[in-house]
Amino acid sequence: TNIPVILGSATPSLETLNNARAGRYSLHSLRTRATGATLPTTQIVDIRQLALHAGLAPLSIDRIRAALTRGEQALVFLNRRGFAQAMQCLDCGWVGECDSCDSSLVVHQHPPTLRCHYCDATQPVPRHCPSCGHHRLSAKGLGTEQLETVLRAKFRDTPVFRVDSDTIGSVTALHNTFDHIREQSSTVLLGTQMLSKGHHFPNVTCVVVVDADGQLFNPDFRAEERLLQILVQVSGRAGRSDKPGEVLIQTRQPEHPLINHALTASYDSLADALLLQRQHLKLPPYGGLGLIRCDSQKTEDGSDFLNDLKAKLTPHTSDGVKLVGPMPTLMQRRAGRYRHQ
C-alpha cells in the first residue's frame, strides 16, 4: 500500500535493531524521557545468604517504606502469579503434578486450588498427601499472591494493588485499576509483566525487581534478550515526573554482566554484546531457525512421523543446513498430547 510503518519501542528486538543498522529500516532515537525527567538510580541487591521476607530483602523493604513515608508509590515486580509454584509433601517428597501436562501444579489461594498454568486444569488443594497419607504439605516457591499477603501485613495502612492475569480479566478492568492507583498517594503496586510496559505512574519513585534471575535459566536462545527488555521496561516506571526514582534489582547472580550492567549501560550497547554472541553462534538474525513440531496422542506416533519426514527432507537439504532431531520438546506432554520437534 506504499505507506510508512512506524515501529516504536524502548527495547526493540535484536532482529529489529539489526534491520535498522543494515539500512532496511530508518532509525530515529529519542534520547530523553518524554516528561523530561531524569533516569532513576539503580542498585544491585545481592540476596545470597540474606533472610528474605517472601522474596524481599531487608533493604528493599526499607526503601519501599521510605517511599511510602514520603507519600510516594512503590512498584514491586515478580513475573510469577499464584501463591506458590508447587505443593510438596515433606515426608515422602510427593509433588502435585498436572494429569495432562509435564508440569507441577501452581498453588492458588483465592480460590484455594492447584492450577496448571499451561492447560488451565484445576484440582482441589489436598488435606493430606495422596502418596503417603501424611499431613505435612508445604507450598514451595513464590508467587504474587504470597507476596501480596506479606506486603499487606508489613504496610497495613497502605493500599496494595496486585496486577496479574488472575486479578485483571479485561482491558476495562486494567484501566479502572490504573485509575484507582493514580488517585492514591502512598500505594504499593505489585504485578507481573502486565504492569511493566508503557504505563505512566507519575508518583512511583521506588521499583523493586524481586527475582531477576528466573529468566537466566530459560533454555530459549532469546532468554537474555528478554531479561534485558524486562529490566529496562520495569525500571522505566520509576521517577517519571519531578520526583527522583530508584530501582533495586534483587539477584543471586550479581556478577552476571547482563544484570550487573542492565540499567547502567545503554540498551544499545548491551544489545550489541548479545548480537555479537548471536553472530558467533549463527543464531537469528545471522542465521535462520525453522521448527517442525508434531503433537500426537501417542508418543511414538509423533517421533515416527518426524523420522519419516526427516528421511524425505535429508536429500534436499543444501550446504550449511542441519537437521536436528527428532526429539521431545522441553515439556513433552501438554494438554494430554505428546509433542516432538
Side-chain angles (χ1 to χ4, degrees), residues 71-86:
E72 298 163 1
Q73 297 178 343
L75 187 153
V76 181
F77 177 80
L78 175 65
N79 210 22
R80 291 194 300 270
R81 60 191 175 97
F83 183 84
Q85 297 309 293

Side-chain angles (χ1 to χ4, degrees), residues 111 150 194 236 257 284 320:
V150 170
M194 186 182 291

Side-chain angles (χ1 to χ4, degrees), residues 99-293:
D99 293 333
S100 301
C101 304
D102 291 334
S103 171
S104 59
L105 294 167
V106 177
V107 182
H108 286 254
Q109 277 198 331
H110 305 289
T113 52
L114 300 181
R115 186 180 306 170
C116 178
H117 283 183
Y118 295 96
C119 71
D120 212 29
T122 59
Q123 296 180 17
V125 177
R127 296 186 178 181
H128 55 80
C129 175
S131 178
C132 70
H134 290 172
H135 295 270
R136 294 208 310 149
L137 297 175
S138 175
K140 300 291 186 180
L142 180 66
T144 50
E145 274 190 342
Q146 185 179 159
L147 189 49
E148 178 188 19
T149 302
V150 170
L151 288 169
R152 290 189 184 278
K154 286 194 172 295
F155 308 109
R156 295 184 183 278
D157 299 326
T158 302
V160 176
F161 291 87
R162 175 161 61 93
V163 179
D164 57 32
S165 56
D166 292 329
T167 60
I168 305 297
S170 66
V171 174
T172 300
L174 183 66
H175 290 309
N176 289 340
T177 299
F178 287 167
D179 288 341
H180 291 317
I181 290 170
R182 294 187 184 101
E183 292 168 359
Q184 305 289 331
S185 54
S186 299
T187 304
V188 177
L189 290 65
L190 164 66
T192 59
Q193 198 165 345
M194 186 182 291
L195 194 60
S196 67
K197 292 185 179 181
H199 307 302
H200 181 58
F201 304 113
N203 207 31
V204 168
T205 59
C206 177
V207 167
V208 176
V209 179
V210 175
D211 179 17
D213 305 337
Q215 190 71 22
L216 285 177
F217 306 106
N218 189 321
D220 188 342
F221 74 91
R222 289 190 172 93
E224 289 188 326
E225 175 187 0
R226 288 172 178 159
L227 173 60
L228 175 60
Q229 291 170 334
I230 287 173
L231 292 177
V232 172
Q233 288 160 0
V234 73
S235 70
R237 301 316 104 209
R240 295 176 65 85
S241 63
D242 56 343
K243 301 172 184 176
E246 62 176 342
V247 181
L248 287 83
I249 300 178
Q250 297 189 169
T251 177
R252 289 185 172 87
Q253 308 285 331
E255 297 87 5
H256 192 286
L258 195 62
I259 290 177
N260 200 14
H261 302 296
L263 302 180
T264 55
S266 69
Y267 181 81
D268 280 0
S269 65
L270 293 171
D272 284 341
L274 294 178
L275 279 168
L276 192 60
Q277 292 178 20
R278 296 272 188 92
Q279 189 171 19
H280 289 324
L281 297 171
K282 299 292 190 294
L283 289 171
Y286 303 103
L289 286 179
L291 178 69
I292 301 174
R293 200 190 79 208

